[in-house]
Amino acid sequence: MKALVTGATGFVGGAVARALVKTGIEVRVLSRKGADLQNLAGLPVEQVDGDLRNPESLRRALTGCRQLYHVAAHYALWAKDPSIFYDINVTGTRTLLEAAREVGIERTAYCSTIGAIGLPPGGGPGTEETPVSLEQMAGHYKRSKYLAEQEVLKLAREGLPVVIVNPSAPVGEADVKPTPTGQIIVDFMKGRMPAYIETGMNLIDVDDVAQGHLLAMQKGRQGERYILGNKNLLLNDVFQILSRITGVKAPTIKLPRLAILPLAYANQWISNLTGVPPRIPLEGVKMAKYKMHYDCSKAIRELGLPQTPVEVALEKAVRWFRSHGYA
């Protein structure tokens, strides 16, 4: 059995590749030429060059594989040219899955995002069935992933054997870039967070997310979505846990979101001129308006999604960031 993993040089994709290797599955990974392969160091995987914007490279990578784990995405809160989100996340996903159909891939697990899941207008946790529309998507990343998910659902209705997973905010080891959530942890460890904007999030161990991909491949129903998450927390709750782990004092000043919004707009304007990513991402401030809390019971019930305590996952993240010189 051979599986192709896209995005294996990244945080979640790397965890998926490691989990597959542990099960004895032969793994081929697709990565762009010149990509940072740090997350694949020591893994017995076959690495092939390719790009989601190059259909021929995708067909070559898929040939000989029986399964596809599509984890790759352009994941950021800002880009000087927003078209990259749609070229990679939407068009690239459709092109890859169409190529998978052409070469006869038996089954696909597609990694979407929790941001494509709706939130009830009156509050409360969102589920896979909560209504949501493109107009509710804040920022190009979320909009592009929502549109990509619609493409995947359309292909599933046409008979493509694909299952969708929607990870919440993963934390843990090997967050090389790091992700926006990982950057919060690093900034906290460095004492760079004297104040904060309160918001809500759902955290999960990245290794549990990886297992969720494998379980979705094995047990997931075609065309269904599964939220891969664990514990709903406020940002202040996360800081209190990190404080206990690191000994760093948690910030006590809570800023009103509307007071930061003008600064975020100004920061983005400067970034658009200079090409330097903003320190106060506008989309992040906009998203802080919502408590992104979710009901993960479907994946637990139908897939057997593991639920490693988030305190353990955060401790693993802190330990990894420290040992690799991030803080």
Side-chain angles (χ1 to χ4, degrees), residues 9-27:
T9 59
F11 186 36
V12 173
V16 170
R18 291 191 295 272
L20 285 168
V21 167
K22 285 179 182 177
T23 66
I25 290 176
E26 192 177 349
V27 177

Side-chain angles (χ1 to χ4, degrees), residues 172-217:
E173 299 174 340
D175 192 355
V176 172
K177 193 175 179 179
T179 60
T181 308
Q183 191 61 54
I184 289 174
I185 298 172
V186 170
D187 287 344
F188 180 93
M189 293 170 68
K190 289 183 172 181
R192 290 181 176 174
M193 304 200 79
Y196 67 100
I197 305 171
E198 188 65 282
T199 187
M201 60 183 65
N202 182 289
L203 296 186
I204 182 172
D205 190 310
V206 70
D207 292 326
D208 289 352
V209 172
Q211 288 300 318
H213 281 71
L214 274 62
L215 290 164
M217 182 69 78

Side-chain angles (χ1 to χ4, degrees), residues 21-38:
V21 167
K22 285 179 182 177
T23 66
I25 290 176
E26 192 177 349
V27 177
R28 177 184 291 168
V29 302
L30 177 76
S31 61
R32 294 190 304 275
K33 197 167 186 178
D36 182 354
L37 303 180
Q38 182 182 163

Side-chain angles (χ1 to χ4, degrees), residues 67-97:
Q67 295 180 342
L68 167 63
Y69 291 85
H70 179 31
V71 189
H74 186 72
Y75 178 31
L77 295 178
W78 174 85
K80 189 168 185 179
D81 180 4
S83 67
I84 191 171
F85 289 104
Y86 303 94
D87 290 345
I88 293 176
N89 297 349
V90 185
T91 305
T93 293
R94 182 177 63 242
T95 302
L96 176 66
L97 295 194

Side-chain angles (χ1 to χ4, degrees), residues 86 90 115-118 131-150 290:
Y86 303 94
V90 185
I117 299 287
V132 67
S133 66
L134 180 61
E135 289 69 31
Q136 293 171 269
M137 298 292 109
H140 293 290
Y141 173 70
K142 281 191 177 184
R143 283 196 283 271
S144 65
K145 291 294 283 185
Y146 172 86
L147 292 170
E149 196 175 276
Q150 298 308 302
Y290 305 99

